[in-house]
Amino acid sequence: MIIKVRLIPTTGRNEVISRIGSVLRVKIKNKKVDDDAANAIMRTFLADFFNVHEESIIIVKGAKGKEKTVEVRDKSEEELRKIMDSIP
């Protein structure tokens, strides 16, 4: 499944704060959202959020920006849709 993610820097915890259509708004604990550290934090967080291995989170587009296109593998489209639909 392909998901668009908008990263928001925070000093708090990593969390999904909302979903606007198919775009997830995710806060990550990092000063920047457009570097390798931010990508690693996002991949780890999303892997935990979707209950998949970290290698199953692939950044398809936007590795150097705050808006990223991410592919989530190793889970069915139906399972991922249920998780996405549970986000307010």
Side-chain angles (χ1 to χ4, degrees):
M1 174 181 231
I2 301 292
I3 299 169
K4 294 196 184 245
V5 178
R6 181 175 182 94
L7 292 184
I8 302 163
T10 185
T11 56
R13 64 181 189 181
N14 299 329
E15 64 181 322
V16 173
I17 56 171
S18 68
R19 178 176 62 110
I20 300 173
S22 63
V23 179
L24 280 183
R25 295 180 66 225
V26 178
K27 283 187 176 181
I28 62 164
K29 190 175 181 178
N30 201 35
K31 291 180 182 178
K32 297 173 120 184
V33 293
D34 56 358
D35 61 6
D36 292 336
N39 291 337
I41 292 167
M42 179 201 68
R43 287 183 68 219
T44 301
F45 173 74
L46 290 179
D48 185 51
F49 183 78
F50 288 112
N51 197 24
V52 295
H53 294 286
E54 195 171 326
E55 296 81 27
S56 300
I57 306 293
I58 312 295
I59 299 173
V60 177
K61 185 177 174 184
K64 296 293 180 188
K66 61 183 169 186
E67 294 191 17
K68 302 174 189 304
T69 303
V70 175
E71 181 179 2
V72 181
R73 296 182 179 173
D74 297 336
K75 229 181 219 304
S76 73
E77 189 93 11
E78 183 178 313
E79 290 174 303
L80 293 171
R81 286 214 186 279
K82 284 181 184 178
I83 295 168
M84 290 287 286
D85 289 343
S86 71
I87 302 166

